[in-house]
Amino acid sequence: KVMSPKAETVVLRIDQEAKGEGNQLVLDLSKKTYTTATEDQVVWETDVMTITVSKANATTNANNYLGGDAGDHTSSRFYKGSKVTFAPKSGITVKSMVCTATTANFAKAFVESAWTNATASANDTIVTVTPSNGANAMEAAIGGTVGLSQIVINY
């Protein structure tokens, strides 16, 4: 039996959904991709999500170590006591975030941070963050120094 191209397209879309494929935004934290950076706050503004690092209770400034700064910084670091908020834009539902840490210890510190509206797990330097409700903001109260080179937002 010969299927029309339209029917094949419908089947393909169903298969893609079943495999969990969808939209993706890759944020390179090894370069100067941030929108603003001060001692108290660093912001990455994208069409999909706003990521904000607040100094909060950290003793180290939020903008201390950012990708692309000082010529040799190949990641962005979040420090103990700081807070990182991942806020999806209106109409966006995040399925997961896959974060690449520069060391397994940085990945472990990120996973062991206190998460709100999300859980995190690590496999070596890869941290997977799964939101409880992907339409709402997720927050990590950072428990130890974290260095990330990339965040992939799946939505």
Side-chain angles (χ1 to χ4, degrees), residues 70-89:
D72 63 347
H73 293 178
T74 58
S75 65
S76 294
R77 292 190 181 172
F78 315 143
Y79 294 95
K80 181 179 180 178
S82 65
K83 291 192 190 255
V84 183
T85 305
F86 303 89
K89 297 291 175 98

Side-chain angles (χ1 to χ4, degrees), residues 15-134:
D15 287 346
Q16 284 176 336
E17 286 180 21
K19 290 178 186 172
E21 294 175 14
N23 295 315
Q24 195 174 72
L25 177 104
V26 178
L27 184 58
D28 186 349
L29 299 183
S30 72
K31 297 183 175 140
K32 280 189 179 182
T33 53
Y34 53 84
T35 309
T36 59
T38 66
E39 292 181 355
D40 292 323
Q41 190 176 75
V42 178
V43 177
W44 287 267
E45 190 77 46
T46 73
D47 293 340
V48 174
M49 174 183 286
T50 302
I51 300 173
T52 305
V53 179
S54 301
K55 181 177 177 182
N57 298 317
T59 56
T60 305
N61 290 335
N63 67 347
N64 182 65
Y65 192 107
L66 296 171
D69 284 356
D72 63 347
H73 293 178
T74 58
S75 65
S76 294
R77 292 190 181 172
F78 315 143
Y79 294 95
K80 181 179 180 178
S82 65
K83 291 192 190 255
V84 183
T85 305
F86 303 89
K89 297 291 175 98
S90 178
I92 300 291
T93 300
V94 175
K95 295 176 185 173
S96 68
M97 295 187 301
V98 179
C99 308
T100 304
T102 51
T103 70
N105 283 340
F106 284 161
K108 185 175 186 260
F110 200 36
V111 167
E112 292 177 353
S113 295
W115 287 90
T116 302
N117 187 40
T119 57
S121 61
N123 182 354
D124 193 35
T125 60
I126 304 300
V127 176
T128 301
V129 178
T130 306
S132 303
N133 179 338

